Amino acid sequence: MTEEAESRNGFDKAERSPGAKFLLVLLMGFLLTIPLFATWLLVYDRQSQSETAQQSIVTGWGGEQVFAGPKLVLPYTATVQETVEQDGKSVTRTNEVTAELFLAPETVTLDSDLKTQSKKRAIYEVVVYDSHIAGSARFRLPDDFERNGISTSDIDFTRAELRFGLSDARGLAGDNNVTVNGEQLTLKPGRGLGETGNSGFFAWVDASRLMDGGLSADFTVRFKGNQSLTVAPHAGLTEWTVRSKWPHPSFTGGFLPETEETKVTAEGFEAKYAITNLALGSSLVALQAGQQVSPDSGPRVDLYQPAGGAAASASVNLIQPVDLYGQVDRAAKYGFLIIGFTFVAFLLFDLIGGVRISSVQYILIGAALVLFFVLLLAFAEIIGFALAFIAASAATIGLITAYSASVLSSWRSASLVGGLLAGLYGAIYILLSLQAYSLLIGSLLIFAALAGVMFVTRRLDWSNSLGRAKA
């Protein structure tokens, strides 16, 4: 026998060794993690493109809105001392400056109605709303006002401002109205509140009535936004009622609505909030503007933050019921399970059934399994996740079953592979639906598969070639 023949024979025996074959299949499965990882990157890329497209759809409409107010801003004269160097000596100067005092109302009542619609561009869709807020506020100087170190005689009540905050003022409509003690005020742009990054509008008001008792403000504000509405409470008591015909709300932020007063049905929702300044940890009188509040666009658990942030806000998110990119991403994480089960099935045909399967055939079958997730993503963007899963799995099962009939030289064996894949895809769809038990069910499936492989191969001699094992 020539050296070339001996070398070929040795290689053939090494490849036909069950242990070597198992390691080779394991290596090919590991190599397939590269295109599988690429599919995850593709999901993130498409999700990023979707978010960019959604932002372009709502450009000029109004962003995720944060509403705050009203607050009275009272100018007062303050005495400030400063020390400067003059002729080598420290000199203390006393200057009078005009500062601002922020007075939050004792009570604020807000009634919000969100009229929603879906705006589309190509395959992308985003939920937008037109919000109409009717509210009232009652202002009064606290009984212990002098404890703030400011005398009422230093306050110029005639030059007070009533300020409202709105994070994206582009969404403001033209029919806004504010009255104080029955007198309609002229609204002016800008000079909003710190909670909204000083974005919003204001009106000049004579607040002299605060010295005699109280001041009442009634207002109607209409603005446009998308996806979420956040209210930054600041009053002694903030009562907010929000309703919409959108059936999929998500209540987030630092405060949640009253359970007994919240109704969510297929026709829409209605929620009521009651938030006190004791819960906020803030006084009705402040010498500085409030900290900016960001829209809270998703459920999360936050520690309490005394000022600003999501913990000092209440948010309503108008969510889409199906996050197809999240579902495709979760499905792709089960790619190892599908590839592993399928390769084990073919390996058993190779080791037990005596059907020789080359490494190229393993790679082609693995490529088809990875392509399933690309098909799933492509179809899901157009026809939805459920129908996309059916279409992609049917195409993949059909392709691999037909190819297996040629590789295994038996339609009966190919039908077993097709049945295995159908069961796997069905199990994965169930895993995606039962999020709370996905780890348990997945672990049981892997355990059952391992037990089955161990039982089938319990008498197999992994160290010898198949030819010796048969002998």
Side-chain angles (χ1 to χ4, degrees), residues 79-95:
T79 301
V80 179
Q81 292 184 341
E82 61 177 352
T83 302
V84 297
E85 292 290 334
Q86 184 174 349
D87 298 330
K89 297 181 180 180
S90 296
V91 179
T92 301
R93 296 177 178 178
T94 301
N95 299 321

Side-chain angles (χ1 to χ4, degrees), residues 119-130:
K119 296 181 74 67
K120 293 184 177 181
R121 180 179 298 171
I123 62 174
Y124 303 108
E125 181 179 6
V126 63
V127 181
V128 299
Y129 62 80
D130 190 338

Side-chain angles (χ1 to χ4, degrees), residues 41 82 86 135 173 177 186 219 224 243 275:
L41 296 180
E82 61 177 352
Q86 184 174 349
N177 181 64
T186 301
F219 53 90
K224 298 176 181 179
R243 66 181 64 86
I275 305 169

Side-chain angles (χ1 to χ4, degrees), residues 116-253:
T116 61
Q117 58 177 297
S118 297
K119 296 181 74 67
K120 293 184 177 181
R121 180 179 298 171
I123 62 174
Y124 303 108
E125 181 179 6
V126 63
V127 181
V128 299
Y129 62 80
D130 190 338
S131 175
H132 183 275
I133 295 181
S136 61
R138 171 74 177 177
F139 294 90
R140 189 176 69 86
L141 290 179
D143 296 333
D144 59 350
F145 178 78
E146 299 292 339
R147 289 180 176 272
N148 294 284
I150 301 174
S151 173
T152 54
S153 61
D154 295 330
I155 300 176
D156 188 353
F157 290 96
T158 61
R159 296 178 56 243
E161 297 178 10
L162 186 66
R163 295 184 185 178
F164 294 80
L166 189 68
S167 58
D168 191 350
R170 295 175 305 170
L172 281 170
D175 49 348
N176 300 303
N177 181 64
V178 178
T179 60
V180 173
N181 291 342
E183 180 182 354
Q184 185 167 347
L185 304 181
T186 301
L187 302 181
K188 298 182 180 296
R191 302 183 72 170
L193 296 173
E195 288 85 347
T196 59
N198 297 321
S199 174
F201 58 94
F202 76 103
W204 299 107
V205 60
D206 186 351
S208 300
R209 295 192 181 186
L210 288 175
M211 296 295 295
D212 303 327
L215 184 148
S216 298
D218 297 290
F219 53 90
T220 56
V221 181
R222 181 189 166 197
F223 56 86
K224 298 176 181 179
N226 74 85
Q227 295 184 327
S228 72
L229 171 60
T230 299
V231 167
H234 50 267
L237 174 62
T238 301
E239 295 181 325
W240 179 32
T241 301
V242 56
R243 66 181 64 86
S244 174
K245 292 184 179 180
W246 186 258
H248 308 291
S250 174
F251 305 106
T252 60

Side-chain angles (χ1 to χ4, degrees), residues 35-373:
L36 189 60
F37 180 73
T39 62
W40 290 340
L41 296 180
L42 179 62
V43 172
Y44 289 124
D45 178 67
R46 296 296 297 180
Q47 186 175 17
S48 177
Q49 290 186 30
S50 174
E51 293 173 353
T52 302
Q54 289 177 354
Q55 291 299 322
S56 66
I57 292 174
V58 299
T59 298
W61 178 273
E64 297 180 61
Q65 296 285 17
V66 178
F67 178 80
K71 278 186 182 181
L72 270 177
V73 181
L74 306 173
Y76 69 96
T77 302
T79 301
V80 179
Q81 292 184 341
E82 61 177 352
T83 302
V84 297
E85 292 290 334
Q86 184 174 349
D87 298 330
K89 297 181 180 180
S90 296
V91 179
T92 301
R93 296 177 178 178
T94 301
N95 299 321
E96 289 189 349
V97 298
T98 300
E100 292 182 337
L101 181 145
F102 297 85
L103 179 64
E106 285 186 321
T107 59
V108 167
T109 301
L110 302 174
D111 191 282
S112 306
D113 186 18
L114 305 182
K115 297 181 180 179
T116 61
Q117 58 177 297
S118 297
K119 296 181 74 67
K120 293 184 177 181
R121 180 179 298 171
I123 62 174
Y124 303 108
E125 181 179 6
V126 63
V127 181
V128 299
Y129 62 80
D130 190 338
S131 175
H132 183 275
I133 295 181
S136 61
R138 171 74 177 177
F139 294 90
R140 189 176 69 86
L141 290 179
D143 296 333
D144 59 350
F145 178 78
E146 299 292 339
R147 289 180 176 272
N148 294 284
I150 301 174
S151 173
T152 54
S153 61
D154 295 330
I155 300 176
D156 188 353
F157 290 96
T158 61
R159 296 178 56 243
E161 297 178 10
L162 186 66
R163 295 184 185 178
F164 294 80
L166 189 68
S167 58
D168 191 350
R170 295 175 305 170
L172 281 170
D175 49 348
N176 300 303
N177 181 64
V178 178
T179 60
V180 173
N181 291 342
E183 180 182 354
Q184 185 167 347
L185 304 181
T186 301
L187 302 181
K188 298 182 180 296
R191 302 183 72 170
L193 296 173
E195 288 85 347
T196 59
N198 297 321
S199 174
F201 58 94
F202 76 103
W204 299 107
V205 60
D206 186 351
S208 300
R209 295 192 181 186
L210 288 175
M211 296 295 295
D212 303 327
L215 184 148
S216 298
D218 297 290
F219 53 90
T220 56
V221 181
R222 181 189 166 197
F223 56 86
K224 298 176 181 179
N226 74 85
Q227 295 184 327
S228 72
L229 171 60
T230 299
V231 167
H234 50 267
L237 174 62
T238 301
E239 295 181 325
W240 179 32
T241 301
V242 56
R243 66 181 64 86
S244 174
K245 292 184 179 180
W246 186 258
H248 308 291
S250 174
F251 305 106
T252 60
F255 298 93
L256 298 179
E258 302 291 332
T259 305
E260 298 79 4
E261 303 293 335
T262 302
K263 300 177 182 178
V264 180
T265 65
E267 287 73 32
F269 71 91
E270 179 175 348
K272 295 183 179 181
Y273 293 80
I275 305 169
T276 67
N277 71 316
L278 296 179
L280 291 169
S282 61
S283 172
L284 298 185
V285 179
L287 302 181
Q288 295 181 343
Q291 295 185 10
Q292 186 170 353
V293 174
S294 300
D296 189 9
S297 57
R300 64 184 184 184
V301 179
D302 283 330
L303 295 177
Y304 178 71
Q305 301 170 358
S313 65
S315 298
V316 175
N317 298 285
L318 308 176
I319 63 174
Q320 296 283 4
V322 177
D323 179 13
L324 66 92
Y325 294 106
Q327 288 184 304
V328 173
D329 178 67
R330 290 186 62 227
K333 292 177 181 178
Y334 293 104
F336 298 105
L337 192 65
I338 295 178
I339 294 174
F341 272 65
T342 307
F343 276 18
V344 166
F346 278 96
L347 183 62
L348 291 179
F349 280 117
D350 193 335
L351 300 180
I352 306 300
V355 179
R356 296 296 303 276
I357 303 175
S358 70
S359 57
V360 175
Q361 292 169 328
Y362 276 105
I363 292 295
L364 291 176
I365 293 171
L369 294 173
V370 173
L371 186 60
F372 161 78
F373 301 104

